[in-house]
């Protein structure tokens, strides 16, 4: 059982050391270096974790501003923010991530072209001003392999959209968090103890 700050053993215990847990640990350790942070991960090999098994795509082409803003931050994080937080060599982190700004292309038929225009306005308002709306003629000129028959418009992100190595991202964030003093422990959290609404301990499967 891992005690919280009430017993002065841990200030923060994070259940799950995948891409989200490692990111939380890294960001928190960078912001509050005075905290003792422990991350619990039941499988340090991450054999079935979602992030390493994903395609590793990133785009800002969403229909709500919150998702766009998160992805705008994500692109900046990949392009240098991670290296800065991790106090790591940017060239080494870039090599780990393998970020390729290949772009995303979203196509719309005539009946859905208005939705694409609305989404574009949302995306640009949230800071993604690198996304352009192309008509069928422009699409075929830019992408000669594309048959735009039945296509009214397409949204294309010329930068900050593409793909990266999700396993490399996870490793870089873990390494950065560890370098800032975060402890990663092989354990599975099963319950949280609390006193008057304040978490005091995290109980693991092993007790």
């Amino acid at each position: 059982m891992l005690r919280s700050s009430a017993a002065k053993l841990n200030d923060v215990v994070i259940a799950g050391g995948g891409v989200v847990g490692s990111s939380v640990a890294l960001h928190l350790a960078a912001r509050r270096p005075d905290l003792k942070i422990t991350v619990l991960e039941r499988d340090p090999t991450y054999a079935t974790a979602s992030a390493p098994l994903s395609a590793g795509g990133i785009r800002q082409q969403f229909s709500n501003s919150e998702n766009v803003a998160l992805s705008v931050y994500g692109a900046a994080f990949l392009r240098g923010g991670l290296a800065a937080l991790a106090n790591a060599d940017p060239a080494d982190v870039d090599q780990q991530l393998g970020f390729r700004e290949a772009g995303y292309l979203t196509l719309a038929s005539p009946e859905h072209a208005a939705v694409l225009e609305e989404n574009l306005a949302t995306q640009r308002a949230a800071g993604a001003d690198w996304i352009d709306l192309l008509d069928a003629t422009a699409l075929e000129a830019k992408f000669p392999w594309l048959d735009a028959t039945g296509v009214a418009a397409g949204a294309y992100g010329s930068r900050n959209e593409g793909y990266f190595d999700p396993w490399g991202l996870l490793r870089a964030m873990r390494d950065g968090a560890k370098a800032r003093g975060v402890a990663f422990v092989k354990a599975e959290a099963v319950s949280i103890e609390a006193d008057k609404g304040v978490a005091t301990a995290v109980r693991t499967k092993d007790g």
Side-chain angles (χ1 to χ4, degrees), residues 24 26 72 118 139 180 199:
V24 170
L26 174 59
V72 167
E118 292 174 6
L139 285 168
R180 287 188 174 275

Side-chain angles (χ1 to χ4, degrees), residues 82-156:
L82 171 53
L85 275 183
N87 286 327
D89 184 339
D92 290 342
V93 175
D94 287 346
Q95 186 173 17
Q96 277 188 283
L97 297 178
F99 183 29
R100 298 292 180 268
E101 297 176 80
Y104 262 70
L105 177 62
T106 305
L107 303 177
S109 60
E111 57 268 33
H112 295 108
V115 174
L116 207 61
E117 291 182 13
E118 292 174 6
N119 290 347
L120 180 65
T122 298
Q123 293 151 14
R124 288 186 170 177
D129 57 4
W130 47 85
I131 301 172
D132 296 314
L133 195 64
L134 308 176
D135 61 20
T137 301
L139 285 168
E140 290 189 332
K142 188 170 186 63
F143 307 103
W145 46 264
L146 177 65
D147 180 358
T149 302
V151 175
Y156 176 66

Side-chain angles (χ1 to χ4, degrees), residues 3-89:
R3 289 288 176 187
S4 72
S5 56
K8 303 301 181 183
L9 294 180
N10 289 281
D11 295 302
V12 178
V13 176
I14 299 172
V19 69
V20 174
S22 294
S23 177
V24 170
L26 174 59
H27 282 80
L28 184 57
R31 183 179 288 266
R32 290 289 305 276
D34 58 304
L35 297 178
K36 179 174 175 53
I37 303 169
T38 296
V39 178
L40 306 181
E41 173 51 49
R42 62 184 178 183
D43 178 18
T45 70
Y46 299 98
T48 60
S50 59
L53 298 176
S54 73
I58 181 170
R59 60 187 170 91
Q60 291 79 47
Q61 294 188 49
F62 293 100
S63 59
N64 65 74
S65 58
E66 292 81 5
N67 279 351
V68 179
L70 283 170
S71 194
V72 167
Y73 176 81
F77 188 67
L78 293 175
R79 291 168 63 98
L82 171 53
L85 275 183
N87 286 327
D89 184 339

